[in-house]
Amino acid sequence: MKIAMVSEHASPLAVLGGVDAGGQNVHVAALSCALADRGHQVTVYTRRDDAELPARVALRPGVEVVHVDAGPARVVSKDSLLPYMATFAQVLAATWFVDRPDVVHGHFWMSGHAALQAVTQVQASTGGIRIPIVQTFHALGVVKRRHQGSADTSPEERAWLEPAVGRGVDQVVATCSDEAFELKSLGVPLHAISVVPCGVDVDRFRPSGAVEERGRTHRILTASRLVRRKGVGTTIAALAQLVAAGRDVELVVVGGAGTAGSDLADDPEYQRLDALARSLGVRDHVSFRGQLSQDAMPAVYRSADVVVCAPWYEPFGIVPLESMACGRPVVASQVGGLIDTVVEDATGLHVPPRDEDAVAAAIAGLLDDPARAAAYGAAGRERVESRYAWSRVAADTERVYERLVNGAAVTGPGFTTRSTTSGRASRSTRATERTAR
């Protein structure tokens, strides 16, 4: 198949860790490459944010990145890109009129909005059959507003355009069961929803290999974009409790505006977190590393006793998968995709969001029980190999494409939930999973 990926703000070529560069960039790049491994030809369309970028870049055999001229050729925050989506759509339509893809896959709501416009324009110009459109949102505005309130910087048009995209495309690929239920509440019919998770590179992220040297007896790691909702402040506050209890422990924070620590001083969230660590008396226990390359991350993951992912909410979350792939136990907020990926009392522990006491207690429990931590790490590795390897994710995505291209109805998800007790599963019922069939 000829597959057109549309990712308006998240280029698969981008450096990770900045405000608008994170899991979606990894997802688009890895999924495209895994689909190419299955014999497909993938073209990723992303907005040009640098005048020096070439029009086309070969990411690898079978995957090409096209930089679309839409708006100024400079970095623009994703929440300010909507005015340029009409131009983006016109470029897509002109391209697809000449070189028609078999299927279009939009990533993020604005990409889906542009893809719908483009496909409609191509169909009107040719009088032909509509190109099937698949959509992955990566995050939903209704969830973002629920948790961020007035701090949400999304354009107001998102409130009605995003649900319209969900109802207008041929199939929505949700990355977790929680998102599927949110989509249903937005009016997307169940038969138009498939659940296919994000994936992880199980060859790059693995338990064996180089291990970065620690600075203290114990190491906690958190890796994310430095934005407030990611909960790094909660982890710093939990660290302060551990230090106050006499533990020799350090926290490594990966992510931010700079690369390997450079330019972090200009990052407002770094400034806030730095001030927080100082006010709690643990600044010398915290190392802010800035952005690190994907190649550098496995050694950092392996150096940690525990990886903490404590966001207020999280549509999916790549870091827990990378952590588990490296054999590390995870302490994760019981929100969004983390409910699916991290299995309570099997691959890690769930904690309520914004609860520094619960995070500190969970970390302390794992530091005090190395055998349990090691068992969680081993189980995590088994889980990502069986469910979250990109080869598996690509195969599941391919099936969605094929049913649309062949004109067959796509069966919606059937959810099965194994019971839990008081939000925390016993060992016999601990795998709370809602899976798509």
Side-chain angles (χ1 to χ4, degrees), residues 78-83 109-110 144-145 152-161:
K78 67 176 183 284
D79 289 333
S80 301
L81 290 176
L82 184 59
W109 71 276
M110 273 187 278
K144 187 177 181 182
R145 286 192 300 276
D152 180 11
T153 57
S154 300
E156 63 179 21
E157 293 91 340
R158 184 176 186 176
W160 61 86
L161 287 177

Side-chain angles (χ1 to χ4, degrees), residues 48-80:
R48 179 189 295 280
D49 60 6
D50 185 334
E52 301 301 316
L53 290 171
R56 293 175 177 265
V57 177
L59 182 61
R60 50 145 287 174
V63 182
E64 187 175 49
V65 179
V66 174
H67 293 112
V68 175
D69 291 310
R74 57 177 172 79
V75 175
V76 177
S77 71
K78 67 176 183 284
D79 289 333
S80 301

Side-chain angles (χ1 to χ4, degrees), residues 162-420:
E162 186 170 71
V165 170
R167 295 189 293 265
V169 300
D170 298 281
Q171 191 75 185
V172 178
V173 173
T175 57
C176 66
S177 53
D178 187 68
E179 182 185 1
F181 289 114
E182 293 284 355
L183 288 165
K184 182 178 181 294
S185 71
L186 292 177
V188 181
L190 277 177
H191 70 79
I193 303 171
S194 299
V195 178
V196 181
C198 299
V200 64
D201 184 339
V202 295
D203 295 321
R204 170 180 282 154
F205 296 96
R206 62 186 189 276
S208 61
V211 180
E212 184 176 88
E213 186 176 353
R214 298 180 183 180
R216 294 182 180 271
T217 304
H218 295 293
R219 172 177 282 191
I220 305 164
L221 170 68
T222 187
S224 72
R225 290 178 291 132
L226 288 192
V227 291
R228 193 160 189 164
R229 73 167 179 87
K230 290 294 186 177
V232 179
T234 301
T235 306
I236 292 175
L239 170 74
Q241 294 188 24
L242 298 173
V243 172
R247 295 179 185 272
D248 184 36
V249 59
E250 65 182 351
L251 170 63
V252 173
V253 180
V254 176
T259 301
S262 65
D263 302 325
L264 271 177
D266 296 327
D267 187 318
E269 181 62 4
Y270 162 76
Q271 295 169 4
R272 188 187 74 83
L273 294 171
D274 176 72
L276 174 64
R278 293 181 188 281
S279 70
L280 294 174
V282 293
R283 184 61 184 86
D284 59 339
H285 290 258
V286 183
S287 173
F288 291 95
R289 301 289 294 279
Q291 298 172 10
L292 296 179
S293 70
Q294 288 279 282
D295 289 337
M297 283 303 299
V300 181
Y301 280 122
R302 296 183 199 116
S303 72
D305 292 292
V306 182
V307 178
V308 179
C309 304
W312 303 352
Y313 70 96
E314 186 63 73
F316 185 79
I318 296 294
V319 169
L321 293 186
E322 294 176 347
S323 305
M324 291 190 295
C326 290
R328 299 294 86 199
V330 180
V331 172
S333 297
Q334 194 171 21
V335 296
L338 306 187
I339 298 172
D340 286 1
T341 55
V342 179
V343 182
E344 169 67 17
D345 198 25
T347 70
L349 297 171
H350 286 141
V351 294
R354 307 197 208 196
D355 190 336
E356 62 199 58
D357 295 341
V359 173
I363 295 170
L366 291 172
L367 294 182
D368 289 340
D369 192 347
R372 179 165 63 126
Y376 285 176
R381 176 65 189 186
E382 291 178 5
R383 181 164 172 77
V384 296
E385 285 181 331
S386 65
R387 183 68 188 98
Y388 297 103
W390 278 113
S391 57
R392 165 74 184 272
V393 173
D396 290 348
T397 305
E398 178 187 69
R399 281 191 282 273
V400 174
Y401 295 165
E402 287 178 339
R403 288 194 292 259
L404 291 176
V405 171
N406 294 333
V410 178
T411 303
F415 299 108
T416 60
T417 306
R418 300 179 187 175
S419 63
T420 61

